[in-house]
Amino acid sequence: MSDDSTELPSTLRSRLAAAPLWDFALALYGRPGVEAACLHLQDDAGVDVVELLWRCWLYHHGLASGEAPEAVRRWQAEVTAPLRRRRRALKEEARHRADVAALRERLKASELEAEREALSRLAQHSLAGHALRPLSRPPPGLETVMPFLPQLQKKSHLFALRTLESQLDPSCPPG
């Protein structure tokens, strides 16, 4: 499989399909330290958490990818990010007003659904085999397959990536 391959071996396609990205993302995000690491990378380094979780899913399966599809990046910028900004902007007021707290919860649910949609689009992109490449054996460190490595300028960013990597084991993909 070359860097621009659209051919995904059927065994790998089956393995990816049997381990849905959404389920993987929820499980990974719930592991110790992962939520804090993801939010730190998002808030301090501008990393898109959805893209980060997608790349962790691929890494777990011994794969890496080129750029995320522009349509998904646009979705994140135009749909998910505005919902997040509005939800966060209401945080203080929601502490004092039940109706604002309820609105904030609805925004949070909408934000989560927008993220789920983005992950669905990334999974479809991956199952089609677009720009996937196998990782070498033994696999390189997670930081070497992340295209946003130049954004990670602080030790805390690399520590956050290592936290994510400690929760993954690409040498033992499921299936």
Side-chain angles (χ1 to χ4, degrees):
M1 187 169 27
S2 68
D3 281 355
D4 61 352
S5 174
T6 57
E7 294 181 25
L8 189 62
S10 61
T11 54
L12 185 53
R13 185 185 318 275
S14 296
R15 196 168 64 215
L16 288 175
L21 176 52
W22 175 251
D23 295 343
F24 174 88
L26 288 177
L28 179 60
Y29 201 78
R31 291 184 186 148
V34 171
E35 178 181 0
C38 287
L39 294 177
H40 176 65
L41 290 170
Q42 173 183 270
D43 295 341
D44 200 61
V47 172
D48 183 324
V49 171
V50 166
E51 183 178 343
L52 178 63
L53 293 170
W54 168 60
R55 291 183 183 285
C56 286
W57 179 65
L58 292 175
Y59 182 84
H60 178 73
H61 288 285
L63 297 167
S65 181
E67 290 294 315
E70 181 57 34
V72 173
R73 288 178 180 229
R74 210 170 32 258
W75 175 268
Q76 287 294 90
E78 295 173 3
V79 178
T80 308
L83 288 167
R84 180 178 302 117
R85 281 191 302 275
R86 283 171 176 69
R87 176 183 57 82
R88 287 180 168 183
L90 293 174
K91 186 174 184 175
E92 183 58 35
E93 190 174 355
R95 291 181 183 163
H96 308 288
R97 297 192 49 206
D99 56 335
V100 175
L103 173 60
R104 187 170 184 272
E105 285 303 310
R106 288 191 299 276
L107 286 171
K108 184 177 181 179
S110 295
E111 179 186 350
L112 188 61
E113 283 303 310
E115 290 173 334
R116 186 175 189 158
E117 176 60 26
L119 286 168
S120 174
R121 292 175 184 201
L122 288 167
Q124 290 170 11
H125 177 79
S126 299
L127 287 169
H130 296 296
L132 295 179
R133 64 184 183 282
L135 297 175
S136 62
R137 294 289 176 205
L142 181 61
E143 67 189 55
T144 65
V145 299
M146 294 292 171
F148 35 74
L149 188 58
Q151 291 170 242
L152 309 180
Q153 297 296 315
K154 299 178 181 176
K155 286 182 182 180
S156 64
H157 299 156
L158 296 176
F159 180 78
L161 261 187
R162 287 189 196 105
T163 298
L164 286 168
E165 187 172 11
S166 74
Q167 298 296 334
L168 299 169
D169 184 3
S171 63
C172 299

